[in-house]
């Protein structure tokens, strides 16, 4: 894992001290709220409905056990004994008090973590595949490049006041698990004809009120030119992105209004100027950073297969866990193991301090001290020997973390919604819980299904790209939920289509049941997933099922 | 009818302006402004806005039931007044924050 160098450490310490002074000045009345708000937001501190919310970055979703224990400690000491893992591979605390925030930031700094650039019109936390550095299908581990992007984008003086927030996602595998085409910039590893590995660059993707699939701006950028290329994109955006209207300020609108060809010309022109300047990355530097992410010392494993069938009768919950929560690893005898934060009827993404501690212990004991946070709001032990899976499972059972539902309907993404969020129009969590309970006994039958729920059009819960998406709106003072179908966050990126008029909160589970029953009735075989069936059939049968 | 609400600076807790000029967490004790009290409401709102200990200041629409219970009209405000509807979490208290009044 990357370790802070002296520059990083000094900078985070300095920033923590600075914020601590700013809080003091705010508390003494020296700073007004108008002056203080941008300062606290720059440090990840929001005000929600009931209290402040602190958003802590987990760079490219990677944590070690010491950091996870610190997150647990903060939850226990300064919050209410839990934290919320988000689709942005961050963790959010929902109840910190302003006077405690400087102390929390100090605690975080002691384990090389912070909340900087988790808000505001800057380049946000870089996100990636939760199986990065472990997945069998990976072309290259994206984390060294993600780390380089983190260093480049942290406090970048030119890009601290962009027209709007800017999100970059990166994947090293052809199977996109990081939704790169729904980010301002998406990077996807590729190999050119000469056999060199580099990056396909996508630009102008996003969700929110105008969802867009990113367009390819370059089919190959070599590692050494990646930063100048990104810098060129950011410069073009900084120059031409709209600042007159917040709703039109994201780069997706610029790309849409200007056209990808023109943007490409502008970027290429800028790139030509700076290509061989200071941002060109010497191979030595890439190698140096890559060494931090060297594969752990895997051992040769006797056990190279897990026979799921033998547990199907004796221990069906375990069989289900094996079936759904293990992901193929590049190393023989190893797997990546998903720890679901979606117990049936729970709040998606929440983990208690005790659970975080237990997961930290597991990472230390069984996964070379490595942990990941997934954009699907789960935790991952990336490098687990097959022989250890049972022992891990037993600990998960003791901690209430054993739900074997990864990739199924109850493994949904849901934003905090109106129970917490000041921008919300409707609640997300109770809807998520009702759906999870309703289908608890049927979800295996439905197979792979991505359900995503947002409490307003900002789309933090990715509803546009759910196979089934649910968007909460407010109509005449009450909550109403719009259902979209056919969204897909992977390399086949698709934005879902609204099916028809919205339904009340109570009607949501029943509405989904009608849609899913229709899917079961229409599918060609159990192998045809909901999304495939929808793509084949279009929305007519589903409309009929729901609205008659 | 309207009430005046805000979040207290130090705790972040949801508070309401009471009859006596104090701010506290109980909507039932909130000072209510009738349709004919627009001027008083505006003056109080202005004073609240000027108080550095209060953020996200707003006038919200409420109703009083037959039994005398004060109800916020929007769901958002009901949730602010009662806490999250899931998870069994109590609302934030003013603990750690000093007394705050107009
Ligand atoms: C205080 C709570 C939050 C606030 C104020 C907030 C605000 C926003 C806003 C205003 C947007 C729309 C941006 C645009 O279209 O230009 C947005 C998008 C988004 N937010 Fe949040 N959000 C909050 C919580 C969260 C949480 C909990 C998550 C993760 C679960 C999250 C992840 C995202 C994502 C993934 C998007 C859409 C991607 C995009 O930027 O296009 N946000 N958020
Ligand atoms: S989608 Fe809306 S309700 Fe949900 S967290 Fe984002 S801003 Fe809040």
């Amino acid at each position: 894992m990357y370790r802070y160098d002296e520059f990083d450490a000094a900078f985070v310490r300095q920033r923590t001290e600075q914020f601590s002074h700013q809080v003091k000045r705010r508390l003494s009345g020296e700073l007004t709220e108008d002056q203080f708000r941008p300062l606290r937001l720059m440090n990840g501190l929001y005000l929600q409905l009931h209290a402040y919310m602190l958003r802590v970055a987990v760079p490219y979703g990677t944590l070690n056990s010491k950091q996870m224990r610190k997150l647990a400690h903060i939850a226990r000491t300064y919050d209410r004994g839990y934290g919320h893992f988000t689709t942005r591979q961050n963790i959010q605390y929902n109840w910190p008090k302003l006077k405690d925030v400087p102390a929390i930031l100090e605690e975080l700094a002691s384990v090389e973590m912070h909340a900087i650039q988790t808000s505001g019109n800057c380049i946000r936390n870089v996100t990636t595949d939760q199986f990065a550095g472990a997945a069998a299908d990976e072309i290259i581990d994206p984390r060294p490049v993600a780390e380089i992007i983190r260093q480049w984008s942290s406090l970048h003086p030119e890009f601290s006041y962009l027209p709007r927030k800017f999100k970059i996602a990166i994947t090293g595998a052809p199977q996109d698990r990081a939704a790169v085409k729904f980010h301002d910039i998406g990077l996807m590893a590729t190999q050119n004809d000469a056999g060199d590995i580099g990056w396909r660059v996508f630009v102008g993707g996003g969700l929110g009120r105008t969802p867009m699939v990113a367009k390819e701006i370059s089919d190959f950028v070599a590692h050494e030119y990646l930063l100048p290329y990104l810098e060129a994109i950011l410069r073009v955006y900084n120059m031409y992105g709209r600042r007159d209207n917040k709703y039109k300020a994201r780069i997706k609108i610029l790309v849409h209004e200007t056209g990808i060809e023109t943007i490409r010309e502008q970027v290429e022109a800028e790139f030509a100027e700076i290509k061989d300047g200071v941002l060109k990355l010497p191979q030595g530097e890439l190698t140096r950073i890559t060494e931090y992410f060297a594969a752990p010392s895997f051992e040769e494993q006797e056990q190279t297969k897990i026979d799921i069938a033998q547990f199907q009768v004796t221990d069906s919950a375990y069989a289900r866990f094996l079936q759904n929560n293990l992901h193929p690893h590049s190393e023989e005898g190893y797997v990546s193991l998903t720890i679901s934060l979606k117990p049936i009827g729970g709040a998606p993404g929440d983990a208690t301090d005790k659970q975080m501690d237990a997961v930290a212990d597991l990472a230390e004991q069984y996964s070379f001290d490595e942990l990941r946070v997934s954009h699907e709001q789960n935790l991952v032990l990336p490098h687990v020997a097959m022989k250890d899976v049972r022992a891990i499972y037993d600990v998960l059972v003791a901690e209430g973390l054993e739900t074997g539902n990864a990739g199924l309907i109850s493994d949904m993404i849901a934003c905090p919604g109106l129970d917490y969020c000041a921008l919300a129009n409707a609640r997300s969590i109770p809807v998520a819980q009702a759906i999870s309970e309703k289908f608890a006994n049927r979800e295996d039958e439905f197979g792979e299904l991505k359900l995503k729920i947002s409490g307003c059009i900002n789309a933090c819960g990715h509803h546009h790209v759910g196979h089934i998406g649910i968007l909460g709106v407010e109509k005449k003072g009450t909550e109403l939920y719009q259902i979209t179908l056919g969204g897909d966050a992977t390399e086949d990126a698709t934005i879902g289509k609204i099916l028809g008029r919205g339904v009340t909160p109570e009607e949501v589970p029943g509405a989904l049941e009608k849609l899913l029953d229709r899917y079961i009735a229409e599918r060609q075989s159990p192998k045809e997933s909901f999304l495939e069936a929808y793509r084949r059939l279009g929305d007519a049968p589903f409309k009929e099922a729901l609205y008659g | 009818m309207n009430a005046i609400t805000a979040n207290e600076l130090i705790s972040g807790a949801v508070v309401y302006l009471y009859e006596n000029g104090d701010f506290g967490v109980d909507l039932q004790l909130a000072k209510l402004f009738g349709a004919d009290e627009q001027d008083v409401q505006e003056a109080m709102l202005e004073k609240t806005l000027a108080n550095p200990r209060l953020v996200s200041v707003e006038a919200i629409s409420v109703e009083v039931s037959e039994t005398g219970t004060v109800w916020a009209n929007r769901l958002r405000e009901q949730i602010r007044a009662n806490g999250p509807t899931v998870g069994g979490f109590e609302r934030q208290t003013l603990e750690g924050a000093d007394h705050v009044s107009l």
Side-chain angles (χ1 to χ4, degrees):
Chain A
M1 224 170 113
Y2 177 74
R3 307 269 330 188
Y4 271 11
D5 61 17
E6 280 158 34
F7 174 82
D8 291 312
F11 154 61
V12 171
R13 209 175 320 113
Q14 192 188 23
R15 186 65 173 266
T16 305
E17 263 170 44
Q18 188 187 43
F19 187 60
S20 159
H21 286 298
Q22 288 161 347
V23 170
K24 275 197 197 118
R25 285 163 64 207
R26 176 68 183 102
L27 294 178
S28 73
E30 216 181 304
L31 290 177
T32 65
E33 184 60 16
D34 281 348
Q35 292 165 325
F36 181 64
R37 189 185 307 110
L39 302 175
R40 71 166 156 74
L41 286 173
M42 274 185 221
N43 291 286
L45 189 64
Y46 287 76
L47 184 63
Q48 302 204 97
L49 292 183
H50 310 285
Y52 291 95
M53 178 274 277
L54 183 67
R55 183 181 286 168
V56 179
V58 179
Y60 34 90
T62 304
L63 285 171
N64 60 25
S65 59
K66 195 167 136 200
Q67 292 171 321
M68 185 58 117
R69 283 194 194 102
K70 185 59 88 177
L71 295 179
H73 169 78
I74 290 170
R76 190 160 47 236
T77 315
Y78 304 98
D79 207 271
R80 297 196 181 176
Y82 79 111
H84 176 70
F85 289 94
T86 82
T87 58
R88 297 271 317 133
Q89 298 182 315
N90 292 326
I91 179 170
Q92 298 187 169
Y93 293 106
N94 282 327
W95 306 94
K97 297 193 169 179
L98 180 59
K99 62 179 177 45
D100 291 333
V101 174
I104 299 176
L105 295 182
E106 262 174 54
E107 299 253 18
L108 288 169
S110 73
V111 293
E112 306 188 340
M113 294 183 79
H114 61 72
I116 299 164
Q117 287 185 209
T118 61
S119 171
N121 297 334
C122 54
I123 303 174
R124 305 284 188 90
N125 187 31
V126 180
T127 52
T128 187
D129 182 358
Q130 68 272 23
F131 302 124
D137 65 344
E138 194 165 82
I139 300 173
I140 188 175
D141 181 354
R143 292 172 305 154
V145 169
E147 169 55 27
I148 287 165
I149 295 173
R150 184 193 71 79
Q151 295 187 12
W152 159 77
S153 64
S154 294
L155 280 196
H156 193 307
E158 207 176 309
F159 304 141
S160 297
Y161 292 96
L162 293 166
R164 198 78 179 88
K165 57 169 97 164
F166 205 91
K167 299 174 179 174
I168 302 178
I170 176 168
T171 175
Q175 242 201 320
D176 177 10
R177 290 173 286 260
V180 304
K181 290 189 188 167
F182 292 98
H183 285 74
D184 297 278
I185 291 180
L187 301 171
M188 201 179 249
T190 186
Q191 211 158 7
N192 67 7
D193 296 339
D196 300 325
I197 294 171
W199 301 96
R200 284 172 80 187
V201 182
F202 298 88
V203 66
L207 300 168
R209 70 185 59 224
T210 26
M212 293 206 187
V213 178
K215 300 181 181 64
E216 190 173 76
I217 185 165
S218 174
D219 61 2
F220 191 88
V221 177
H223 297 305
E224 59 181 338
Y225 290 119
L226 188 60
L227 288 188
Y229 198 83
L230 296 180
E231 179 108 347
I233 296 175
L234 263 298
R235 281 197 174 169
V236 168
Y237 171 53
N238 210 12
M239 196 137 52
Y240 301 118
R242 288 179 62 168
R243 291 176 189 267
D244 60 322
N245 181 342
K246 175 168 140 168
Y247 299 120
K248 306 213 158 172
R250 297 287 290 266
I251 195 172
K252 63 188 173 189
I253 304 292
L254 179 68
V255 173
H256 182 71
E257 289 182 349
T258 316
I260 185 70
E261 290 77 22
T262 308
I263 297 284
R264 187 180 294 118
E265 279 165 28
Q266 291 166 341
V267 168
E268 290 292 340
E270 188 66 39
F271 177 59
E273 298 263 319
I274 59 176
K275 182 170 186 232
D276 291 303
V278 290
L279 287 173
K280 185 175 164 189
L281 194 68
Q283 183 58 44
E285 182 60 10
L286 182 62
T287 310
R288 187 180 75 83
I289 301 275
T290 303
E291 276 164 9
Y292 288 111
F293 297 93
S297 41
F298 293 117
E299 285 165 12
E300 202 163 312
Q301 296 294 326
E302 258 171 47
Q303 186 182 344
T304 56
K305 268 214 280 308
I306 298 179
D307 177 14
I308 298 176
Q310 65 167 310
F311 300 107
Q312 238 128 27
V313 177
T314 50
D315 191 348
S316 60
Y318 182 53
R320 203 164 167 258
F321 180 87
L322 296 174
Q323 186 72 46
N324 295 319
N325 291 33
L326 302 185
H327 194 266
H329 198 284
S330 54
E331 202 69 22
E332 203 179 19
Y334 286 84
V335 287
S336 298
L337 184 152
T338 297
I339 300 173
S340 166
L341 297 181
K342 322 286 171 57
I344 298 302
D350 282 5
T352 66
D353 59 328
K354 196 165 160 284
Q355 289 175 328
M356 288 189 245
D357 275 336
V359 170
D361 291 347
L362 288 174
E364 196 169 44
Q365 200 175 348
Y366 297 112
S367 184
F368 300 92
D369 207 28
E370 279 197 43
L371 269 168
R372 304 291 165 71
V373 180
S374 80
H375 95 271
E376 289 175 328
Q377 301 182 274
N378 292 318
L379 300 174
V380 171
L381 296 171
H383 315 295
V384 168
M386 287 178 181
K387 68 169 168 34
D388 295 331
V389 170
R390 179 77 218 196
I392 294 173
Y393 179 77
D394 290 338
V395 174
L396 295 177
V397 170
E399 299 298 333
L401 288 169
E402 78 283 15
T403 318
N405 61 349
L408 302 180
I409 188 170
S410 62
D411 181 19
M412 58 188 86
I413 293 180
C415 79
L418 191 55
D419 283 298
Y420 292 96
C421 176
L423 303 178
N425 289 327
R427 288 171 294 165
S428 304
I429 302 171
V431 173
Q433 292 173 326
I435 294 171
S436 154
E437 275 161 4
K438 169 102 186 167
F439 299 114
N441 296 323
R442 284 190 70 191
E443 54 181 343
D444 293 330
E445 186 188 341
F446 305 142
E448 191 200 10
L449 209 150
K450 306 276 185 197
L451 177 72
K452 309 188 191 223
I453 309 175
S454 307
C456 81
I457 194 60
N458 286 323
C460 304
H462 286 205
H463 67 276
H464 296 299
V465 291
H467 300 172
I468 300 179
I470 297 180
L471 165 65
V473 297
E474 183 179 349
K475 201 155 189 193
K476 298 194 186 120
T478 59
E479 296 164 299
L480 209 65
Y481 295 85
Q482 274 179 359
I483 298 176
T484 60
L485 297 184
D488 181 3
T490 71
E491 61 281 5
D492 303 321
T494 317
I495 292 160
K497 256 175 73 183
I498 296 176
L499 197 58
R501 72 185 143 71
V503 299
T504 64
E506 298 74 28
E507 288 167 347
V508 173
L512 260 51
E513 186 173 42
K514 287 183 187 154
L515 298 173
L516 290 164
D517 281 341
R518 180 53 69 97
Y519 153 64
I520 300 283
E522 300 270 354
R523 70 183 176 189
Q524 289 173 326
S525 82
K527 284 217 168 74
E528 188 182 45
S529 70
F530 178 85
L531 184 62
E532 287 161 349
Y534 174 82
R535 284 185 171 152
R536 179 171 58 81
L537 296 163
D539 52 15
F542 297 100
K543 268 196 177 135
E544 192 203 67
L546 185 53
Y547 304 112
Chain B
M1 290 220 257
N2 286 339
I4 290 176
T5 184
N7 290 77
E8 190 277 325
L9 174 71
I10 298 168
S11 60
V14 175
V15 290
Y16 301 93
L17 172 66
Y18 291 172
E19 279 291 346
N20 64 3
D22 286 355
F23 284 84
V25 296
D26 190 355
L27 174 61
Q28 300 312 317
L29 303 179
K31 177 173 176 58
L32 304 183
F33 303 91
D36 54 346
E37 291 170 293
Q38 279 285 328
D39 296 352
V40 199
Q41 183 190 317
E42 274 311 307
M44 292 289 188
L45 195 61
E46 207 124 299
K47 266 182 131 172
T48 310
L49 279 164
N51 189 325
R53 283 282 303 283
L54 298 166
V55 285
S56 296
V57 176
E58 261 183 287
I60 57 163
S61 155
V62 298
E63 262 169 49
V64 183
S65 76
E66 276 170 23
T67 54
T69 308
V70 184
W71 275 103
N73 283 332
R74 283 183 70 196
L75 178 60
R76 177 186 204 269
E77 291 307 325
Q78 290 166 15
I79 291 174
R80 282 181 81 242
N82 298 307
T85 63
V86 285
F89 295 107
E90 296 290 319
R91 286 173 59 201
Q92 190 81 319
T93 64
L94 288 168
E95 193 198 321
D98 312 323
H99 174 85
V100 48
S101 63
L102 270 185

